[in-house]
């Protein structure tokens, strides 16, 4: 006769076997197992882990105890998470400070930690990244009229969170370097 597994509230297909085999009477152990499993794949913020525990119906006292302990031992570090996120997403995807701050807010990072993390990027570094993005995309816009190229390139930078003035300045300079006439474009009303 096969052993019958007890189903708990909050069980889901993505719950690990180890989670399911823990005693339902020890929510702190379940919370630890859930957090460790989630942290194995990728770093997470405290809020992301708290949301996962809430979704699996871990009592708030047990969740708070486990999350605080994980913070104390350094397994949860929202400041380090924010720093790594900014570094990775700026260099990998070319995102600007504004877009990075928006992403970190959605992950539940505190606003002071967000300010510190995005503060690592200075305007010169952000503009250099914008120039690299435009240079990569520029070739695919050849053959289009100047105004359409300007809109496409500036729009691409805007979607990545670059300020309008910077985006227009970078695109205008890139078009000028290609020989486009931009004398009738003013920076404010491009």
């Amino acid at each position: 006769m096969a052993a019958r597994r007890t189903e708990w509230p909050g069980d889901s297909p993505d719950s690990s076997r180890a989670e399911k085999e823990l005693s339902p009477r020890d929510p702190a152990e379940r919370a630890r197992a859930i957090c460790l499993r989630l942290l194995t794949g990728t770093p997470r913020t405290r809020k992301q882990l708290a949301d996962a525990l809430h979704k699996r119906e871990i009592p708030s006292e047990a969740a708070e105890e486990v999350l605080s302990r994980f913070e104390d031992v350094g397994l949860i570090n929202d400041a380090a998470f924010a720093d790594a996120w900014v570094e990775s997403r700026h260099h990998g995807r070319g995102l600007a400070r504004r877009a990075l701050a928006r992403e970190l807010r959605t992950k539940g990072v505190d606003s002071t930690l967000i300010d510190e993390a995005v503060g690592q990027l200075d305007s010169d570094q952000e503009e250099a990244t914008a120039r690299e993005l435009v240079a990569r995309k520029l070739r695919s816009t050849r053959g289009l009229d100047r105004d359409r190229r300007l809109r496409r390139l500036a729009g691409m930078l805007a979607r990545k969170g670059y300020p309008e003035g910077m985006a227009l300045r970078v695109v205008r300079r890139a078009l000028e370097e290609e020989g486009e006439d931009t004398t009738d474009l003013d920076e404010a009303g491009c």
Side-chain angles (χ1 to χ4, degrees), residues 17-120:
R17 187 172 0 130
E19 267 178 60
K20 291 177 182 176
E21 290 173 357
L22 292 173
S23 164
R25 291 182 288 275
D26 193 357
E29 276 302 314
R30 275 191 71 215
R32 267 193 234 34
I34 291 166
C35 288
L36 286 172
R37 183 179 58 78
L38 290 173
L39 288 168
T40 298
T42 183
R44 311 262 180 171
T45 64
R46 181 182 175 108
K47 182 182 181 321
Q48 288 175 309
L49 293 171
D51 290 348
L53 295 177
H54 178 74
K55 178 180 164 190
R56 289 179 177 86
E57 298 180 5
I58 301 293
S60 58
E61 308 80 43
E64 183 59 35
E65 171 192 328
V66 169
L67 293 172
S68 293
R69 179 67 182 140
F70 275 38
E71 261 184 337
D72 291 344
V73 298
L75 290 173
I76 302 173
N77 184 338
D78 283 358
F81 177 91
D83 290 344
W85 188 265
V86 166
E87 178 74 19
S88 168
R89 302 285 283 177
H90 177 72
H91 293 294
R93 303 268 326 271
L95 297 182
R97 290 180 283 197
R98 185 173 53 194
L100 293 165
R102 184 177 50 246
E103 287 184 347
L104 288 170
R105 271 193 298 282
T106 65
K107 300 216 173 277
V109 177
D110 182 71
S111 61
T112 57
L113 297 176
I114 292 172
D115 292 343
E116 290 172 14
V118 299
Q120 297 172 23

Side-chain angles (χ1 to χ4, degrees), residues 96 98 126-127 129-131 133-135 138 146-177 180-190:
R98 185 173 53 194
E126 197 172 43
E127 189 164 335
T129 302
R131 282 193 306 273
L133 290 168
V134 167
L138 199 58
R146 183 203 61 197
D147 291 343
R148 184 172 285 168
R149 292 180 85 190
L150 177 76
R151 283 192 307 273
R152 285 206 181 159
L153 295 167
M156 178 261 307
L157 290 177
R159 287 187 298 278
K160 291 185 177 283
Y162 289 89
E164 181 182 10
M166 178 191 293
L168 293 174
R169 185 175 59 251
V170 167
V171 171
R172 183 178 182 179
R173 186 178 309 138
L175 291 174
E176 287 171 353
E177 289 171 0
E180 290 275 1
D181 180 21
T182 61
T183 55
D184 61 332
L185 298 176
D186 63 346
E187 292 239 359
C190 290

